[in-house]
Amino acid sequence: MTNSLEKTNYPALYTLIIVFFFWGFIAAGNSIFIPFCKHYFSLDQFQSQLIDFAFYTAYYIGALILFAYSSLRGTDLVNSWGYKKSIVYGLLFSALGAGAMILAVFSNIYIGMLTGLFIVALGFSLQQTAANPFAVLLGDPKTGSSRINLGGGVNSFGTTIGPLIVAFALFGSVSEISDEQIAGLQLNKVILLYICVGILFVTAAAIFHFSKKVPAGIQDEHVEKAHKALRSLFIITGLLLCMFVPVFHSYAQGWEAPFLNAEKYRMVWLLAALAIVVGGLLLIKKRASVNAHGWGAMQYPQVILGMLAIFTYVGVEVTIGSNLGELLKQPLFGGYESSQIAPFISMYWGSLMIGRWAGAVHAFNLQNRAKTIALITAPILAFIVVIAANTISGKDMHILYYYIICVAIQIAAMMLCKDKPATTLFVFAVLGITAMIIGLLSHGTIAIYAFLSGGLFCSIMWPAIFSLSITGLGKYTSQGSAFLIMMILGGGIVPPIQGKLADILGIHQSYIIAVVCFAYLAFFALAVRKILFKQHIDIDSLESASH
């Protein structure tokens, strides 16, 4: 099967985006799941946050295991299975995780719950490794990022309605959940919920497996054993474990270093973890440029810089939202109570859906006028969906009505970029830098809108980074995809670094982290053009050819 199909396989694409919905739905459901576990298992705050740590770490571990197996065998596992079968296996693996979670709740074992969630996310890791390049494969590669954007838009829709559906299933209401409701939650409802989740995974796997419209996506080319890349990643993983152990140990034991308080002590180890990821990948890039043999997909500099871009993108996307609640509690930003923060958090994550719905427009064969109308109406409709979903759940969204101005800026940027991945990434990274600087230099509603708009400008970055990073990889495409999926790890390192920086500089000033992240993404957008040009791939001609 080739990767140069000119006509989009829409039936297969629509089937594929089902799994994109699951990723958002399940991940967002963790916001309801964490307080339940905290009460049910009598956890402290740090222990309850291990749920997110287990979930996001699984992406890294899953992609590493997949690469290790493929490298040792000399055959890329996803290529040999085919993208279709890999997604089916990933869904069934996630269903096993849902079963493990049911047993853990029934047996009152928290570590079993974390294990179950870890297995679910391992399945997601396999699904994402296959689904993203598969979306590119299902049509003209020049519009591949638009198809990933379509999946991302559906993913964000799952993120938006996931907490509402989970809340209704468990509590019979979509309004704000009180501590009393969580304390009174019946165990059989939680078990029934994850039975349904497991059934949904199996059903999606069956739909995908039996759909005749979905091609197998098998690529049986021999892949060189990437023993140097494997060894380097194991070293990086081992060093990261060494960095994380002191952080967890200090939380668990309340330990403080002789010359550093606990927060600064943890900051040192978190920065060391960041240095290992960045320094390790840059060292790999340098060594692979001297002798490409044994590095597999890592011999391509667009993959290494793309891995750092995914790490940075996921990190900045998560850190803006994760630290937003604390910012809004400050007097200069409204001094909101915890119960009043939910609308802003929801709008931030909803901004990802707004942007991705706009980005998905290019995946359809629309004429110029119809495309322009869709570029305007799709994000506005998504904005209305976010407002309506939160209003139905009892949240007061009046203060966010004028956020439509930020949406208008995002619409103008999308029309300016004309679905060119490198151009789009650069423009949106610059907009991200601008928004963060405005937020840092102001306060009140202007600053809040500026920080919220970070979600709009992050929204289209994943598909742009992904499509640029795997361009020109050929038989190494799925291997490069696995490397990129590993870097979702950025969501577990960048946010705590900003959190610790906030303890030192203040929560407002800590958003300088977001400026640095967006700056690297702008650099990557420029650098990848030159890299691909040296490989005789003119990204500008590819982009212009799609219009």
Side-chain angles (χ1 to χ4, degrees), residues 2-31:
T2 70
N3 63 346
S4 59
L5 299 176
E6 294 298 322
K7 186 176 180 181
T8 300
N9 185 338
Y10 285 111
L13 181 61
Y14 297 148
T15 305
L16 177 64
I17 61 177
I18 292 174
V19 298
F20 280 83
F21 176 83
F22 276 135
W23 302 334
F25 177 84
I26 299 300
N30 287 349
S31 63

Side-chain angles (χ1 to χ4, degrees), residues 145-167:
S145 64
S146 297
R147 291 188 290 280
I148 299 177
N149 249 327
L150 176 61
V154 174
N155 174 275
S156 294
F157 181 65
T159 302
T160 301
I161 69 170
L164 302 180
I165 294 176
V166 172

Side-chain angles (χ1 to χ4, degrees), residues 376-423:
I376 295 172
T377 57
I380 292 175
L381 177 61
F383 175 73
I384 294 172
V385 168
V386 175
I387 293 289
N390 284 276
T391 301
I392 291 172
S393 66
K395 299 181 180 72
D396 183 3
M397 301 295 288
H398 287 86
I399 194 174
L400 291 169
Y401 287 170
Y402 290 105
Y403 186 67
I404 190 68
I405 297 172
C406 298
V407 176
I409 295 173
Q410 185 265 341
I411 292 172
M414 286 297 298
M415 296 178 71
L416 174 68
C417 296
K418 298 180 180 179
D419 194 33
K420 300 177 181 180
T423 302

Side-chain angles (χ1 to χ4, degrees), residues 527-539:
V528 75
R529 285 180 180 272
K530 297 180 179 179
I531 290 171
L532 293 176
F533 186 76
K534 289 181 179 179
Q535 297 171 11
H536 309 291
I537 301 172
D538 189 348
I539 192 67

Side-chain angles (χ1 to χ4, degrees), residues 461-511:
M461 287 185 169
W462 174 280
I465 296 168
F466 213 99
S467 61
L468 290 168
S469 299
I470 64 175
T471 296
L473 266 59
K475 63 183 180 181
Y476 294 107
T477 297
S478 63
Q479 188 182 99
S481 175
F483 290 153
L484 295 172
I485 297 301
M486 287 181 195
M487 291 297 103
I488 291 177
L489 179 68
I493 293 180
V494 176
I497 287 178
Q498 181 180 347
K500 300 312 174 190
L501 188 62
D503 294 326
I504 301 171
L505 300 179
I507 185 64
H508 187 195
Q509 291 74 17
S510 72
Y511 272 85

Side-chain angles (χ1 to χ4, degrees), residues 421-473:
T423 302
T424 301
L425 181 60
F426 178 75
V427 169
F428 275 69
V430 171
L431 286 172
I433 294 170
T434 304
M436 295 303 105
I437 291 176
I438 291 173
L440 284 166
L441 298 178
S442 60
H443 53 79
T445 303
I446 292 177
I448 292 172
Y449 276 22
F451 288 130
L452 286 177
S453 67
L456 290 172
F457 305 136
C458 281
S459 60
I460 52 76
M461 287 185 169
W462 174 280
I465 296 168
F466 213 99
S467 61
L468 290 168
S469 299
I470 64 175
T471 296
L473 266 59

